[in-house]
Amino acid sequence: MTSNRDERQDWRQMSLKEKVGQLFVCGFDGYEPTDGIRRLIKEYGLGGVIYFRRNLRDAEQVAALTAKLQAEADVPLFVSIDQEGGMVVRLEEGVTVMPGSMALGAAGEPAWAYETARWSGAELRRIGVNMNFAPCLDVNNNPANPVIGVRSYGEDPKRVAALGVAAVRGYQESGVAAVAKHFPGHGDTAADSHHELPVVPHGRDRLDAVELLPFRAAIEAGVDAIMTAHVVFPAYEPDNVPATLSKRILTGLLRERLGYDGVVVTDCLEMNAIAGTIGVARGAVEAVKGGADLVLVSHRLDRQIAALEAVYEAVLAGEIPESRINEAAERVRKLKLERGLFAASLPVNPDAAAAREVARLASEAAVTVVKGAELLPLSRVSQVLSVWAEARVGTEVIEVIAQERTVGAALRDEGYAVEEVRVGLEPDAAESAAALEWAEQADAIVFASYDAGFSRRQADLIARLAALGKPLVLVATRTPYDLLEVPDVPAYVCTFENKPTMMTALAGVLSGRLPAKGRLPVTIGPFARQELA
């Protein structure tokens, strides 16, 4: 790079290669900087890095890793993460895991969205993470959506807008750049863009009233950045081009019609909707041409270098005007200045106990009894069988996390006699037999389901347990739509996540120690979305 880390340096002092480098955010493997990520920083002037669980052990290790990476860079790096809360968090040790978006949608108060974001942002900023790919402003009105679901605040665009704006304000006040995603909206898809290219076929009037409403609100609130969706919107882009690569959408719709002048970030170009179609390198060229300011390539070094070189060569060839690179580099620099990346010192350490209290209270406000309230609280003289469905195979949207604080453990702390059986998301014959055998001896059953709508054998086991005729409470610990698979269960409760704090809140509701305050943020069959009080 051509200058020291000071506020006077900007894109005008950089070479073309360095300016292009500032437009990229890349990932790497391991807990220490790799030779590959060092090369991207030193040779290409990389604009930022992204962390996944593969990079993170605990808060202190992350702070040390971040310091090492920043020491390599002449221009401070965006250090980004997907710390949405709930079921999508990359770091859990040494920080507070806040409730996720749909739990906050059930709690309903913008104040909870603001406080959880503010405290989470403060803890992230303290360890050097300065950009969070959150909140999701997708309106989840499709029960079959395999990738958004509980990452959304719900199906009501106005509720999504109000809570999303509150979260944006919380993150940004803590010094972390908020990134609203996935524009123009990934909520009404039945396909996962990690694997294929989804299409949202609605007309402009419907898109304007539903999908775009939360993004308009975030733009008016001054959101730092907006992440694109690898989704086709024929109403705006008739040539079957995903939004991430579409000038009609990124420039025509987002910049010109909606008036947004902040940073536009692509979702990861290594997702199959891009990598498996146009390819990562060509996708980077098209995204920058279309109006993206930051290009995210999260995994492979060969693809990262190919994408950087492709954009550089496209400028040299006249395919991308250098003015487009300058415009993007200026937006990137402006946001780095606004979020204090050039400042020498980090903020003071936030109060961890206060953050945990916010997480506890917000979780307690989220537990939602949809059906069978008359069966609660559970009798304290009952022998309770707790069946805990757990993820054992990871995917792009499901992380495998060992968890001891199950609903069974939390109910024991409430004074219940509990036998717990753990099963996989697709229980095998032995697991199902064990659950059924213990159910014969139990007085009541609590089944903590996990995406049973996508797991046929899990739904079958729930139905077999319900057929025993014993008091059964089905608790949906991720998607709230599991009731659609087994509509005849006696009682149904939604927690929208299975994190320890939420399981404690759930046990409090099941025991009667806590009232059920949550209000359903989506429609589930005959159970309509509940309006806020």
Side-chain angles (χ1 to χ4, degrees):
M1 299 293 290
T2 56
S3 178
N4 293 328
R5 296 166 60 108
D6 68 43
E7 296 184 14
R8 292 172 296 175
Q9 186 193 5
D10 61 28
W11 56 266
R12 298 176 190 85
Q13 299 171 294
M14 297 179 187
S15 69
L16 174 60
K17 190 174 185 180
E18 291 167 345
K19 286 187 287 188
V20 169
Q22 282 294 294
L23 311 190
F24 279 78
V25 174
C26 296
F28 61 99
D29 288 326
Y31 299 133
E32 294 289 334
T34 60
D35 291 341
I37 199 68
R38 285 195 174 97
R39 179 183 174 191
L40 295 179
I41 294 169
K42 288 295 189 183
E43 292 185 22
Y44 290 90
L46 190 66
V49 297
I50 178 170
Y51 287 157
F52 292 92
R53 281 185 180 264
R54 66 192 184 196
N55 304 117
L56 315 174
R57 277 196 301 259
D58 55 47
E60 292 310 309
Q61 174 265 327
V62 176
L65 173 61
T66 302
K68 291 173 185 175
L69 289 167
Q70 292 288 18
E72 299 280 344
D74 289 325
V75 177
L77 298 163
F78 282 129
V79 179
S80 61
I81 196 170
D82 291 288
Q83 193 80 354
E84 297 174 16
M87 300 306 288
V88 181
V89 291
R90 307 304 187 203
L91 178 63
E92 298 191 56
E93 297 298 321
V95 297
T96 306
V97 176
M98 294 296 177
S101 295
M102 196 167 283
L104 294 171
E109 290 294 332
W112 287 128
Y114 167 75
E115 288 293 341
T116 54
R118 184 172 70 89
W119 282 99
S120 181
E123 291 185 337
L124 291 174
R125 191 70 180 87
R126 178 65 187 87
I127 58 176
V129 177
N130 51 46
M131 174 176 277
N132 194 11
F133 293 136
C136 283
L137 297 189
D138 306 296
V139 180
N140 200 87
N141 42 28
N142 188 335
N145 194 317
V147 65
I148 301 301
V150 294
R151 301 169 66 193
S152 164
Y153 293 107
E155 70 181 21
D156 177 9
K158 293 180 180 178
R159 189 184 304 199
V160 173
L163 298 178
V165 164
V168 164
R169 189 163 55 90
Y171 287 126
Q172 293 179 184
E173 286 182 10
S174 70
V176 169
V179 182
K181 60 188 186 185
H182 305 81
F183 183 84
H186 205 325
D188 197 3
T189 65
D192 180 353
S193 52
H194 290 92
H195 303 293
E196 55 188 303
L197 183 58
V199 177
V200 174
H202 303 298
R204 292 193 179 196
D205 288 348
R206 146 62 197 256
L207 292 170
D208 197 59
V210 178
E211 277 76 9
L212 295 183
L213 190 152
F215 289 101
R216 284 201 308 272
I219 290 167
E220 291 169 6
V223 66
D224 282 338
I226 290 176
M227 178 178 279
T228 65
H230 302 332
V231 177
V232 173
F233 291 81
Y236 293 109
E237 178 49 84
D239 294 333
N240 204 43
V241 177
T244 294
L245 312 181
S246 170
K247 187 171 184 177
R248 290 184 177 111
I249 290 176
L250 300 189
T251 299
L253 174 60
L254 182 55
R255 297 287 189 208
E256 295 171 1
R257 182 180 158 200
L258 299 184
Y260 181 61
D261 194 38
V263 171
V264 173
V265 189
T266 73
D267 207 341
C268 179
L269 297 190
E270 290 179 280
M271 293 163 65
N272 212 42
I274 304 298
T277 54
I278 191 173
V280 174
R282 189 64 208 169
V285 172
E286 294 298 327
V288 174
K289 281 172 61 178
D293 304 305
L294 280 176
V295 176
L296 180 59
V297 187
S298 301
H299 302 289
R300 285 171 42 181
L301 181 63
D302 60 332
R303 287 174 164 178
Q304 293 162 350
I305 291 173
L308 282 154
E309 294 286 355
V311 172
Y312 176 70
E313 293 295 335
V315 180
L316 293 182
E319 183 180 1
I320 299 177
E322 191 165 354
S323 61
R324 169 82 267 274
I325 302 297
N326 293 342
E327 172 190 65
E330 175 60 21
R331 286 199 185 99
V332 167
R333 171 182 161 74
K334 181 182 177 184
L335 182 52
K336 287 183 175 183
L337 282 169
E338 287 176 351
R339 290 294 147 243
L341 271 62
F342 292 89
S345 59
L346 291 173
V348 238
N349 201 22
D351 184 340
R356 287 193 298 270
E357 182 70 357
V358 167
R360 180 184 71 81
L361 292 171
S363 296
E364 290 177 357
V367 179
T368 304
V369 176
V370 178
K371 176 184 179 183
E374 68 280 2
L375 298 180
L376 300 178
L378 296 173
S379 169
R380 288 187 178 274
V381 297
S382 297
Q383 172 69 46
V384 177
L385 169 65
S386 170
V387 183
W388 177 262
E390 59 186 5
R392 295 170 183 167
V393 178
T395 69
E396 288 86 350
V397 294
I398 294 177
E399 293 185 300
V400 178
I401 303 163
Q403 186 165 318
E404 295 305 316
R405 187 64 175 175
T406 62
V407 62
L411 281 171
R412 287 189 191 105
D413 287 348
E414 295 285 341
Y416 287 90
V418 179
E419 179 63 40
E420 183 171 82
V421 174
R422 296 192 181 209
V423 299
L425 299 192
E426 293 285 0
D428 61 27
E431 290 172 333
S432 295
L436 289 162
E437 182 180 347
W438 279 107
E440 294 286 355
Q441 305 168 43
D443 301 307
I445 304 165
V446 176
F447 194 113
S449 65
Y450 187 115
D451 283 358
F454 300 101
S455 306
R456 185 66 258 160
R457 291 205 298 268
Q458 192 183 153
D460 287 345
L461 177 56
I462 297 167
R464 292 173 70 185
L465 290 168
L468 297 176
K470 298 188 177 187
L472 183 148
V473 181
L474 176 59
V475 180
T477 67
R478 187 156 181 161
T479 174
Y481 303 107
D482 288 355
L483 183 64
L484 299 176
E485 304 302 312
V486 279
D488 296 329
V489 294
Y492 187 60
V493 180
C494 293
T495 61
F496 314 99
E497 59 196 59
N498 65 9
K499 296 301 182 182
T501 303
M502 188 63 78
M503 292 302 94
T504 299
L506 166 65
V509 169
L510 295 180
S511 71
R513 177 175 59 82
L514 296 172
K517 299 178 183 178
R519 301 181 69 79
L520 196 60
V522 293
T523 297
I524 307 171
F527 298 95
R529 179 187 79 238
Q530 296 174 296
E531 298 304 323
L532 301 180

